[in-house]
């Protein structure tokens, strides 16, 4: 049996359960309602549930739209995109099918271009938000809150930079492996 990270079966009807839109939506709903109940108390369950359904509906629509756009841009089916992403980012095997290799190469290029393009505005915006919030706490006279926020900002921004570099490294690795291994002709 193939591991889920191998991505085998993406061209057939055998999809990984994590790639189904309803699994994503159900998980987001559970997290949303859980956090809202934790913050507001159990008496707020109706508003947590209604708000969660609205939020999850929008989030699921956005995720499915993104998958369809990615699939159209790389020349594959929308259901194949999550499996290809997993193969790229987990170091999965390079596809043997030339059409699937081309689609994966285009997906690698698309992901890398978006990462580099969005880095230009996302990192500075996040830094302003997190370090600015810390500065506001200090300016308001709350050194403890400012210090906690500053520490959280440093940790979060460091993690974001590390994650960004790690993802770029994995994309480069898959690009190199796609270029090195010639497609197998049937």
């Amino acid at each position: 049996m193939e591991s889920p990270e191998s991505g085998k079966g993406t061209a057939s009807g055998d999809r990984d359960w994590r790639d189904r839109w309803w699994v994503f939506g159900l998980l987001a709903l559970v997290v949303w309602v859980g956090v809202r109940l934790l913050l507001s108390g159990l008496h707020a369950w109706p508003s947590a549930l209604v708000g969660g359904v609205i939020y999850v509906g929008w989030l699921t629509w956005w995720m499915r739209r993104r998958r369809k756009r990615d699939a159209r841009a790389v020349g594959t089916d929308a259901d194949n995109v999550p499996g290809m992403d997993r193969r790229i980012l987990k170091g999965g095997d390079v596809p043997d099918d030339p059409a699937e290799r081309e689609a994966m190469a285009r997906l690698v290029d698309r992901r890398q271009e978006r990462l580099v393009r969005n880095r230009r505005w996302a990192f500075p915006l996040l830094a302003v938000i997190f370090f600015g919030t810390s500065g506001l706490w200090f300016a308001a006279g709350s050194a403890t809150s400012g210090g906690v926020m500053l520490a959280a900002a440093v940790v979060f921004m460091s993690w974001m930079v590390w994650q960004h570099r790690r993802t770029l490294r994995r994309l480069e690795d898959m690009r190199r492996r796609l270029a090195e291994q010639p497609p197998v002709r049937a």
Side-chain angles (χ1 to χ4, degrees):
M1 183 164 170
E2 296 293 334
S3 70
E5 284 78 20
S6 70
K8 292 284 189 192
T10 56
S12 70
D14 184 24
R15 306 276 184 242
D16 190 271
W17 65 272
R18 296 174 291 183
D19 299 340
R20 308 246 185 231
W21 68 268
W22 58 267
V23 172
F24 177 80
L26 185 62
L27 180 63
L29 181 64
V30 168
V31 169
W32 175 276
V33 171
V35 168
R36 286 283 312 270
L37 291 178
L38 185 67
L39 294 175
S40 302
L42 292 177
H43 67 280
W45 72 267
S47 68
L49 191 60
V50 169
V53 167
I54 292 169
Y55 172 72
V56 166
W58 175 82
L59 191 62
T60 304
W61 168 82
W62 180 82
M63 182 219 32
R64 290 180 51 88
R65 182 177 137 245
R66 180 177 176 228
R67 281 185 187 176
K68 288 177 184 177
R69 286 182 176 183
D70 286 341
R72 205 173 321 126
V74 303
T76 189
D77 185 42
D79 291 335
N80 293 341
V81 171
M84 290 172 67
D85 269 334
R86 194 171 21 264
R87 286 168 74 176
I88 292 167
L89 297 177
K90 298 287 185 185
D93 59 336
V94 175
D96 294 330
D97 179 34
E100 195 174 352
R101 287 174 68 89
E102 284 296 318
M104 186 173 281
R106 286 190 296 272
L107 187 60
V108 167
D109 291 341
R110 183 173 170 88
R111 292 287 184 257
Q112 191 168 28
E113 184 269 328
R114 288 180 78 193
L115 269 177
V116 171
R117 182 186 66 216
N118 292 338
R119 171 181 62 194
R120 293 184 187 124
W121 64 266
F123 284 157
L125 179 63
L126 288 171
V128 166
I129 290 170
F130 285 107
F131 292 113
T133 304
S134 175
L136 288 174
W137 279 112
F138 282 123
S142 179
T144 304
S145 296
V148 169
M149 190 62 194
L150 181 61
V154 168
V155 168
F156 180 73
M157 290 302 295
S158 299
W159 177 78
M160 288 293 294
V161 169
W162 173 77
Q163 186 70 19
H164 180 77
R165 288 180 178 168
R166 177 176 168 231
T167 302
L168 283 175
R169 205 170 31 250
R170 288 181 176 188
L171 289 168
E172 283 296 328
D173 181 53
M174 181 55 81
R175 179 193 308 274
R176 181 186 46 75
R177 290 188 306 136
L178 283 166
E180 286 176 356
Q181 297 177 1
V184 176
R185 301 287 178 192

